[in-house]
């Protein structure tokens, strides 16, 4: 496949596209306008559900498990089809039309996937919003996407905690124009009383029960948007990444198949929240397009005790388990006896994604969970790439600790040096993609100019990933981390500028800078340096700043440490020197290099005296 992709990329991409069911097959892969499979017509829900009805209608498509053993739900492909049709009919009754954006803000319950597929079925564009976003963050995204309908829950559960989904949505609405959101559909999870506004808010369950369980799929063009997903970058507000239908689905479906060595009867458990791209590509679309059985578990790794996840694997004979280094690190701390108590023999492929995995965590995952007999794939990719790009392939390219290894067939990764020239052989540089691939995002919602500027303009002729990487003597890639100002906390992407912007709006803050430093559990932690406007109120600032970040972005972005200082190190042209701030926040006392380019070199001495709060 690698050879075919190199010799005749178009034929390779067409082969992959033909793994899907098309209403009208495309006649070419990439056209001169840069569009994939143009002319092809299909429906993503048809590919995830309907195409399996004949062959495996009675096979399980979706298993949902709650924290308590008796809280579970099992849907065959036939049952999933009916549920999706009902939900799609409800959306139509609510006036949703093809091309409309529907926001989905739900806990990890089956309705999340059902709602996504229902949107796809009627050609509505889903916008899944992560459960950890604050009301203001949700409001920003709803306004940007111009969503008129929201699907949410009464209250979610996170271990012992309760998460007020509906209340958060109500709070988000106070930041929006009153005619923005017309309908809110509320799934009852805990059945607690939540405020419902007459005419606008409806309980979802009775509507679903009453709705017909059949509905034909609409026909979508290959380049019609399937979904928007908001993600952070190095500049400004989160961007609505737009994924198309034909190219995205081709890539999600192919990569799930090849990277997880998908086989008939597989039970695929990806622990990601549906609100991230991993949830889109590897909880929902990828494994369902391949006819797999997906598992959704609503619960945290170590609650009610650290053996919970391993018992879930044993109970459902999970074959493929895809999670994050953050979860692995947390579970590793509990010791080897905990997973040792469960039968994990059903596992065949383990996967890691979202952040660099250390050698120690890789080896523990391989040895203690995989019992030295499973494939372990460290998969590198991004929201914007739609699916896995660089990864081992079980039985062909074996994993090695901390290496993403080789690009998948057709993926043309390169490393660029400081002047933008391509590096040969063993090298370290900025990771870029030379040739296009079908999973790449189409654009940024209503801002194609920004898309061009962020991803295509930095190195003309290449897609810029924002990551650095090293290539070893075997041509294997080792991801070294972001080269831009993006911080990765527990696999959650946070832009420095996003934090700085919300803080700089505050009247007590004159200036600030956000950086990431290594953290043993979270991978990275956010550290913020603040220059107060009014020195007499400086004591209050750390707490105040944490509240601002929590309120405007979400708790996941709240800084670990805050330094209140009287100045920030700046170049003479006034740019913050983050390199120095990173060193100071990491506890380094020397080795700051040449400080003569700073507008005030003495500032470093004063910063070294500051204590974090
Ligand atoms: C960024 C993308 C891809 C889905 C989850 C995150 C980092 C991702 C790896 C890996 C080292 C990784 C990169 C990338 N990243 N996978 N296997 N090894 N770093 O998606 O939120 O779009 O974040 O996550 O820095 O650019 P995302």
């Amino acid at each position: 496949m690698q050879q075919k992709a190199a010799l005749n990329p178009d034929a390779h991409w067409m082969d992959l596209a033909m793994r899907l069911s098309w209403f009208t097959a495309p006649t070419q892969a990439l056209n001169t306008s840069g569009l994939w499979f143009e002319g092809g017509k299909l429906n993503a829900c048809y590919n995830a559900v309907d195409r399996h009805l004949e062959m495996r209608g009675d096979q399980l498509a979706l298993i949902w498990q709650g924290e308590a053993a008796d809280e579970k739900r099992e849907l065959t492909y036939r049952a999933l089809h009916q549920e999706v049709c009902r939900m799609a009919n409800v959306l139509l009754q609510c006036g949703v039309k093809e091309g409309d954006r529907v926001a989905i803000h739900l806990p990890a319950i089956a309705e999340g996937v059902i709602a996504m597929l229902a949107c796809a079925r009627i050609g509505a564009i889903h916008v899944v919003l992560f459960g950890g976003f604050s009301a203001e963050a949700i409001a920003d995204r709803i306004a940007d996407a111009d969503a008129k309908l929201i699907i949410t829950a009464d209250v979610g559960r996170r271990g012992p905690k309760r998460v007020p989904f509906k209340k958060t949505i109500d709070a988000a609405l106070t930041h929006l124009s009153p005619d923005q959101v017309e309908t809110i559909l509320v799934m009852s999870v805990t059945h607690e009383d939540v405020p419902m506004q007459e005419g606008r808010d409806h309980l979802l369950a009775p509507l679903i029960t009453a709705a017909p369980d059949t509905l034909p799929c609409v026909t979508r063009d290959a380049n019609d948007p399937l979904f928007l997903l908001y993600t952070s970058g190095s500049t400004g507000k989160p961007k609505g990444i737009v994924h198309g239908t034909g190219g995205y689905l081709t890539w999600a479906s192919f990569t799930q198949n090849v990277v997880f060595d998908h086989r008939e009867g597989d039970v695929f458990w990806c622990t990601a929240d549906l609100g991230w791209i991993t949830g889109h590509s590897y909880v929902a679309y990828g494994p369902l397009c391949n006819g797999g059985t997906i598992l959704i578990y609503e619960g945290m790794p170590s609650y009610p005790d650290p053996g919970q996840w391993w018992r879930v694997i044993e109970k459902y004979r999970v074959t493929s388990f895809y999670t994050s280094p953050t979860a692995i690190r947390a579970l590793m701390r509990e010791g080897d006896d905990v997973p040792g108590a469960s039968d994990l023999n059903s596992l065949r492929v383990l996967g890691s994604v979202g952040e660099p995995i250390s050698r120690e965590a890789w080896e523990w995952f391989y040895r203690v969970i995989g019992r030295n007999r499973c494939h372990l794939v460290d998969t590198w990719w991004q929201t914007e790439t739609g699916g896995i790009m660089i990864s081992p392939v079980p039985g062909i390219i074996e994993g090695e600790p901390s290496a993403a290894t080789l690009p998948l067939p057709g993926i043309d990764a390169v490393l660029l040096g400081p002047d933008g020239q391509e590096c040969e052989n063993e090298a370290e540089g900025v990771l870029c993609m030379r040739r296009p691939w079908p999973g790449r995002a189409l654009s940024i919602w209503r801002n194609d100019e920004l898309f061009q500027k962020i991803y295509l303009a930095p190195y003309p002729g290449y897609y810029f990933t924002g990551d650095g990487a090293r290539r070893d003597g075997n041509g294997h890639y080792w991801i070294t981390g972001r080269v831009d100002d993006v911080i990765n906390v527990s696999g959650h992407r946070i832009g420095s500028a996003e934090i700085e912007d919300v803080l700089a709006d505050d009247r007590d803050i004159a200036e600030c800078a956000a950086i990431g430093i290594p953290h043993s559990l979270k991978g990275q932690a956010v550290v913020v340096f603040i220059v107060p406007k009014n020195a007499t109120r400086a004591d209050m600032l750390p707490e105040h700043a944490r509240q601002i970040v929590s309120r405007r972005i979400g708790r996941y972005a709240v800084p670990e440490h805050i330094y209140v200082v009287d100045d920030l190190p700046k170049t003479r042209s006034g740019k913050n020197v983050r390199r120095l701030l990173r060193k100071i926040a990491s506890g380094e006392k020397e080795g700051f290099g040449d400080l003569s380019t700073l507008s005030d070199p003495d500032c470093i001495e004063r910063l070294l005296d500051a204590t974090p709060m």
Side-chain angles (χ1 to χ4, degrees):
M1 200 183 272
Q2 200 58 279
Q3 266 172 10
K4 181 168 187 182
L7 288 173
N8 190 347
D10 268 20
H12 166 68
W13 300 126
M14 285 300 279
D15 284 352
L16 301 194
M18 287 310 149
R19 299 179 63 260
L20 300 177
S21 301
W22 296 80
F23 300 144
T24 306
T27 50
Q28 60 172 329
L30 184 66
N31 74 5
T32 46
S33 330
L35 294 172
W36 285 93
F37 311 126
E38 192 54 3
K41 294 186 190 299
L42 77 168
N43 182 290
C45 180
Y46 184 90
N47 276 279
V49 184
D50 299 49
R51 73 188 308 215
H52 304 304
L53 290 178
E54 203 175 314
M55 284 276 292
R56 47 175 81 87
D58 297 320
Q59 184 208 298
L60 285 185
L62 187 158
I63 301 168
W64 173 81
Q65 174 67 56
E67 247 152 34
D70 61 345
E71 280 186 315
K72 59 173 193 170
R73 197 168 164 201
E74 296 186 336
L75 296 173
T76 61
Y77 270 98
R78 203 176 314 286
L80 178 62
H81 178 256
Q82 289 169 346
E83 289 300 308
V84 170
C85 287
R86 286 188 181 176
M87 177 89 81
N89 276 311
V90 171
L91 295 177
L92 291 179
Q93 286 159 17
C94 293
V96 176
K97 301 211 166 41
E98 192 174 340
D100 286 355
R101 276 76 53 211
V102 170
I104 301 174
H105 184 57
L106 286 173
I109 54 175
E111 280 72 15
V113 172
I114 295 170
M116 287 162 73
L117 295 170
C119 288
R121 194 166 191 88
I122 63 173
I125 301 170
H126 55 74
V127 189
V128 185
L129 303 169
F130 168 52
F133 286 147
S134 70
E136 284 184 46
I138 288 172
D140 286 347
R141 288 158 177 80
I142 287 175
D144 186 78
D146 189 15
K148 301 272 181 226
L149 184 141
I150 306 173
I151 303 175
T152 190
D154 49 3
V155 176
R157 299 171 288 195
R158 248 187 86 75
K161 292 194 198 128
R162 293 291 166 264
V163 187
F165 275 84
K166 174 63 164 63
K167 271 197 194 140
T168 304
I169 292 293
D170 286 341
L173 260 55
T174 64
H175 299 280
L176 293 166
S177 103
D179 53 4
Q180 175 65 64
V181 174
E182 292 163 2
T183 311
I184 304 180
L185 301 176
V186 184
M187 192 60 214
S188 307
V189 174
T190 62
H191 299 274
E192 273 157 73
D193 260 345
V194 290
M196 298 286 282
Q197 184 178 305
E198 180 76 36
R200 185 197 66 189
D201 305 350
H202 309 276
L203 288 179
L204 188 51
L207 297 178
I208 288 182
T209 315
D213 64 4
T214 56
L215 180 76
C217 292
V218 303
T219 300
R220 299 285 278 166
D221 285 340
N223 290 293
D224 281 341
L226 177 60
F227 63 85
L228 311 184
L229 193 57
Y230 284 84
T231 190
S232 304
S234 57
T235 50
K237 290 204 163 184
K239 311 167 292 282
I241 297 294
V242 187
H243 274 289
T245 306
Y248 167 79
L249 213 60
T250 294
W251 196 238
S253 147
F254 165 68
T255 52
Q256 195 271 333
N257 198 286
V258 70
V259 172
F260 294 94
D261 181 28
H262 182 80
R263 298 183 194 176
E264 206 58 44
D266 271 4
V267 179
F268 192 83
W269 183 15
C270 167
T271 65
D273 189 283
L274 275 185
W276 305 117
I277 190 71
T278 316
H280 286 60
S281 302
Y282 303 106
V283 174
Y285 289 112
L288 289 176
C289 282
N290 289 312
T293 300
I294 62 171
L295 175 77
I296 297 173
Y297 173 65
E298 186 194 5
M300 304 201 302
S302 302
Y303 187 84
D305 69 74
Q308 186 77 355
W309 275 17
W310 315 127
R311 287 193 295 270
V312 170
I313 291 177
E314 174 178 317
K315 179 171 178 184
Y316 293 106
R317 310 291 302 154
V318 171
T319 57
S320 328
F321 179 59
Y322 194 24
T323 193
S324 68
T326 290
I328 297 166
R329 287 189 297 265
L331 292 162
M332 187 167 78
R333 289 196 168 184
E334 308 288 348
D336 299 5
D337 293 349
V338 179
S342 293
D343 175 2
L344 304 181
N345 277 326
S346 56
L347 289 173
R348 203 179 68 240
V349 186
L350 306 174
S352 168
V353 63
E355 22 159 355
I357 178 165
S358 66
R359 172 174 282 271
E360 194 198 0
W362 195 101
E363 284 174 346
W364 183 83
F365 200 25
Y366 185 81
R367 181 174 56 80
V368 179
I369 306 309
R371 314 261 152 105
N372 293 316
R373 47 156 212 91
C374 294
H375 301 286
L376 201 175
V377 292
D378 173 9
T379 62
W380 176 88
W381 60 295
Q382 315 179 291
T383 303
E384 298 87 339
T385 69
I388 297 166
M389 300 288 279
I390 307 183
S391 168
V393 174
I396 301 175
I397 316 290
E398 287 307 318
E400 54 184 313
S402 311
T405 71
L406 289 174
L408 293 178
I411 297 305
D412 188 19
V414 294
L415 296 177
L416 301 186
D419 315 323
Q421 84 287 4
E422 286 180 20
C423 307
E424 302 293 333
N425 308 320
E426 278 180 62
E428 188 164 339
V430 174
L431 180 64
C432 289
M433 300 297 150
R434 195 166 37 193
R435 260 204 303 253
W437 73 99
R440 201 198 77 187
L442 299 182
S443 189
I444 290 174
W445 181 244
R446 292 183 172 160
N447 201 343
D448 194 53
E449 206 179 308
L450 188 60
F451 185 83
Q452 304 290 329
K453 184 172 156 215
I454 295 175
Y455 304 103
L456 306 176
Y459 298 96
Y462 302 91
Y463 165 87
F464 169 60
T465 66
D467 278 298
R470 181 170 68 78
R471 189 169 48 219
D472 68 17
N474 298 322
H476 288 195
Y477 286 85
W478 302 67
I479 307 300
T480 52
R482 300 290 303 200
V483 296
D484 54 9
D485 296 318
V486 169
I487 307 170
N488 190 328
V489 180
S490 302
H492 298 162
R493 213 162 126 175
I494 305 164
S496 304
E498 204 182 337
I499 296 181
E500 290 165 6
D501 285 358
V502 298
L503 290 176
D505 275 353
D506 189 74
R507 61 188 159 80
D508 290 325
I509 295 174
E511 276 186 286
C512 64
I515 52 152
I517 60 165
H519 186 279
S520 62
L521 208 56
K522 303 176 182 176
Q524 282 192 305
V526 175
V527 177
V528 171
F529 289 80
I530 293 177
V531 180
K533 251 187 204 153
N534 180 346
T536 55
R537 294 183 45 120
D539 282 358
M540 320 271 285
L541 265 187
E543 183 48 33
H544 181 56
R546 286 192 168 94
Q547 275 169 15
I548 296 174
V549 175
S550 174
R551 177 165 52 78
R552 298 199 47 193
I553 302 175
R555 275 210 302 274
Y556 69 100
V558 168
E560 188 87 7
H561 298 302
I562 295 181
Y563 291 79
V564 179
V565 296
D566 57 14
D567 209 357
L568 294 173
K570 287 208 179 64
T571 61
R572 293 217 182 86
S573 58
K575 275 184 71 179
N576 282 338
V577 189
R578 291 168 197 279
R579 173 181 68 84
L580 295 175
L581 293 174
R582 263 182 227 121
K583 276 183 173 288
I584 289 166
S586 307
E588 291 177 41
K589 302 273 179 231
E590 51 201 36
F592 293 105
D594 180 14
L595 300 178
S596 63
T597 54
L598 296 189
S599 60
D600 171 17
D602 295 340
C603 145
I604 295 297
E605 282 302 317
R606 295 197 300 278
L607 277 172
L608 282 170
D609 288 338
T611 36
M613 285 183 272

